[in-house]
Amino acid sequence: MIDSNTRLIALLGDPVVHSVSPAMQNAAFAAAGLNYVYLAFPVPAVAIGGAVAGLRGLGIRGANVTIPHKTAVMPFLDRIEDQARRIGAVNVILNDGGRLTGHNTDAPGFLAVLKRSGFEPNGKKTVVIGAGGAARAVAFALRAAGASVVIVNRTPKTAASLAADTGAAALPMTDAGFSEALAGASLVVNATSVGLPPENEATPLPAKFLRRGLIVFDIVYRPQQTRLLRDAEAAGCRTIGGLEMLVEQGALAFELWAGQPAPRDVMSRAAAGALS
């Protein structure tokens, strides 16, 4: 029951209509018996400063931050947690008495899913497609876990910047670039939005570069079976879908806002139900 004691968590992004986070987090709050509600707000880039000020002014408990604001939101916060500052991207905001702190749960969420799948990054060559906020979290996580990383991105300048920040290599998003990047690689991660509706049949990686034994992790979760994952399975690759990362990063965010363990099973079922 929503009443005058209900605490609000906001999702700030553009677009947000596709997000299953409201279904997932509201199911978690209900299961935990918490008087919280999670709402999605479409926020254009020019309004992100005002949206953050609104969190403070209205006493909103916290927020998730998604595309395209994960980096742009940082100057408007009072404090950035160390890992988020190193990554250069924030996906969770915690409001503690009017003091707003930015966190990044994408990186630990990604690593938790990867290790749960049985993959140990240490000493392995990995490829990250993309150079935005999600790609930064993935690249920093892999480097911290001891993997070598190659960044492949449409914009060479952005790829080079992320590579310099993480101690990775950068290659162009061309046939020659993909061929060099994937030579000897154990893991490739799509950290772009390619494959999201309405371009469900788009893929960031041509199928001809996929081979048996490669692990393909697509952070896109809608649809659950992206074109990239279908191509990867057909080529004999191991695959990991984005829904697992969504749930894990969301669980870590829940724990920051609520100060108690997240009901991961409930969150997973609610997210999968919302997608279907």
Side-chain angles (χ1 to χ4, degrees), residues 3-244:
D3 58 24
S4 57
N5 294 310
T6 302
R7 309 199 76 177
L8 174 62
I9 305 293
L11 171 62
L12 310 180
D14 189 23
V16 292
V17 68
H18 66 282
S19 179
V20 302
S21 290
M24 179 178 72
Q25 294 289 4
N26 284 320
F29 294 141
L34 295 172
N35 190 0
Y36 280 53
V37 66
Y38 185 108
L39 297 175
F41 295 91
V43 179
V46 295
I48 188 60
V52 173
L55 300 179
R56 194 192 325 271
L58 295 173
I60 294 172
R61 174 59 173 161
N64 269 140
V65 183
T66 189
I67 295 170
H69 304 315
K70 292 186 179 185
T71 298
V73 75
M74 296 174 70
F76 302 104
L77 304 176
D78 299 306
R79 178 178 172 271
I80 309 294
E81 179 268 337
D82 288 345
Q83 184 178 47
R85 184 177 298 282
R86 287 194 301 272
I87 292 169
V90 161
N91 75 307
V92 177
I93 299 171
L94 178 64
N95 184 354
D96 187 7
R99 182 172 172 81
L100 304 182
T101 301
H103 296 261
N104 190 297
T105 64
D106 283 334
F110 168 78
L111 270 187
V113 171
L114 200 59
K115 293 188 176 183
R116 202 155 57 224
S117 75
F119 181 76
E120 174 50 61
N122 188 37
K124 305 288 183 18
K125 180 182 180 182
T126 63
V127 178
V128 177
I129 304 174
R136 293 188 67 85
V138 168
F140 270 90
L142 287 169
R143 290 292 292 139
S148 66
V149 176
V150 180
I151 308 297
V152 180
N153 191 54
R154 283 196 186 95
T155 309
K157 182 178 179 181
T158 312
S161 176
L162 177 54
D165 289 345
T166 57
L171 288 169
M173 192 177 276
T174 61
D175 279 7
F178 276 128
S179 182
E180 183 179 345
L182 288 164
S186 300
L187 169 75
V188 60
V189 183
N190 173 36
T192 75
S193 59
V194 175
L196 273 172
E199 298 180 350
N200 297 47
E201 291 305 305
T203 178
L205 177 62
K208 63 185 177 182
F209 294 109
L210 298 167
R211 53 174 167 73
R212 185 174 298 277
L214 184 67
I215 299 175
V216 178
F217 193 142
D218 194 345
I219 71 165
V220 171
Y221 62 83
R222 182 191 290 273
Q224 289 190 63
Q225 193 72 353
T226 61
R227 169 71 180 276
L228 174 60
L229 294 182
R230 295 200 309 272
D231 288 347
E233 288 184 356
C237 304
R238 290 173 54 197
T239 62
I240 305 172
L243 187 62
E244 293 185 62

